[in-house]
Amino acid sequence: MKTPEKTRCENCIIRQFNSLKAFSKEELKTISDNKVSREFKKGDQIFKEGEKLSGVFCVRDGASKLSKLSENGKHQIVKIAKKGEILGQRSVVSDEQTNLSATALNDTSMCYIPKQLIIDKINENPEFTRNLLKVMASDLRESDNFIVNMSQHNVKQRIAEALLYLEANFGTDDEGFLAVNLTREDLANVVGTATESCIRQVAELKKDNYISTKGKKTKIEDKKGFEDMISGF
Amino acid sequence: MKTPEKTRCENCIIRQFNSLKAFSKEELKTISDNKVSREFKKGDQIFKEGEKLSGVFCVRDGASKLSKLSENGKHQIVKIAKKGEILGQRSVVSDEQTNLSATALNDTSMCYIPKQLIIDKINENPEFTRNLLKVMASDLRESDNFIVNMSQHNVKQRIAEALLYLEANFGTDDEGFLAVNLTREDLANVVGTATESCIRQVAELKKDNYISTKGKKTKIEDKKGFEDMISGF
DNA sequence: CGACCGGTTGAGTGCGGTCAACACGCGTGG
DNA sequence: CCACGCGTGTTGACCGCACTCAACCGGTCG
């Protein structure tokens, strides 16, 4: 199952950003021969909470949300995965069902790598395993910070944080607007609030000249002010 | 620096519960020769957020809270570590400062293992590394669940969850009271609320016969009811 | 064209944060 | 020995943030 030259892992720059950078040319060839490229359209579900994954997804391009459904019917978005991240590693190392659902936020291309390959590599390539450890350590740190932010900040502050996070991780277009576009509902689900509350607070942020909007796009105008507001002036 | 026979790692049953179970008798001897036993009294700080740890702590007995200070001056408790857990692994694998502070909730005894030993073992013993991965994967899962609980449940539900968590992880004494005793303030910091709100909701739980108290001890009377209440009746 | 989705606004309400006062046990020092 | 201070637990009152329900608008798609 050879893939076209230009999408082979050996030539893929994305791998520089994740734990796969530990692999030799030889190993990358094996992976490339076993991977499958997959495309998702905006809104497509990549996998669902509770599924048993048979491999991991390496994000080549696009953004996808990782969310969990709580019994009151609301989706809490836990993380937004960007280019270079690998989804499903956790489930593979712990050999359990996924804890989260993944959904494409825009058109997304992924490489699907069968889990046995990953497990083999964990056993064979210590550097890869160490990279994995580091990635997970940093995810844990992020989770802890997220927990603190959620419980100690009000909705306005959490929205500010979410927007800063989006800018830092996905960047802006040439006019300075955020490169990823969350619906108000998604943004509400990130900060764990009702859609209406989210809309109202965004309107406040706009009124206070922290942000501006054009169509559905959002631009952060006053990053410094944001940071001050988050830490309570 | 030999330790007395009875506290040597080879004889320590605690290691069955954590990633250290991967080690051979030989390896345990090395660890034992390099570790230091340390005792903490209730309220003692084990390490502080931002410190650079030079090793990890293996909890031999007792309970300790892992918390993070937010800029509004409140401590958010992220996890309560029990017997068998290892504190500081994350900072060691990522070679960064700790993200969290650790404080003893009651008299606690720990073994301090220098970080170089852990790093060496990560490089030498693949099974140990795999165990580490699993522990961290499970921590991540817990964190995600915590985030959902925090953002989708009200204070009463979160307290119920916290109490169930304490019962499941630390058990009860012979009369059925929870074996660990959090102050109201600590409990409030776990669920991310004000101390007074916490007190009021606990009083409600008592009025509704979900729990009972005796002195400072708490007993869960209606676990089933708790679970129903958490998922919204 | 109508259905539907996303965004927006209004009005009402209640949960939970905050401040203030007080009760109680415990240790410490005069 | 008692006075005092301090930490913890508790209660009351007030109030504002954020949730909920409901209506409405504009764009898009079948």
Side-chain angles (χ1 to χ4, degrees), chain A residues 175-207:
Chain A
E175 288 179 284
F177 293 100
L178 293 180
V180 258
N181 225 350
L182 295 189
T183 63
R184 295 290 132 120
E185 192 184 356
D186 277 338
L187 186 55
N189 289 343
V190 171
V191 302
T193 190
T195 316
E196 298 94 325
S197 304
C198 176
I199 287 173
R200 268 180 259 261
Q201 295 301 324
V202 168
E204 289 246 337
L205 291 175
K206 210 156 66 176
K207 202 166 46 152

Side-chain angles (χ1 to χ4, degrees), chain A residues 216-228:
Chain A
K216 305 209 164 187
K217 294 184 297 183
T218 308
K219 191 201 293 198
I220 297 177
E221 298 286 353
D222 183 4
K223 195 186 293 198
K224 186 71 177 52
F226 253 14
E227 283 154 2
D228 290 349

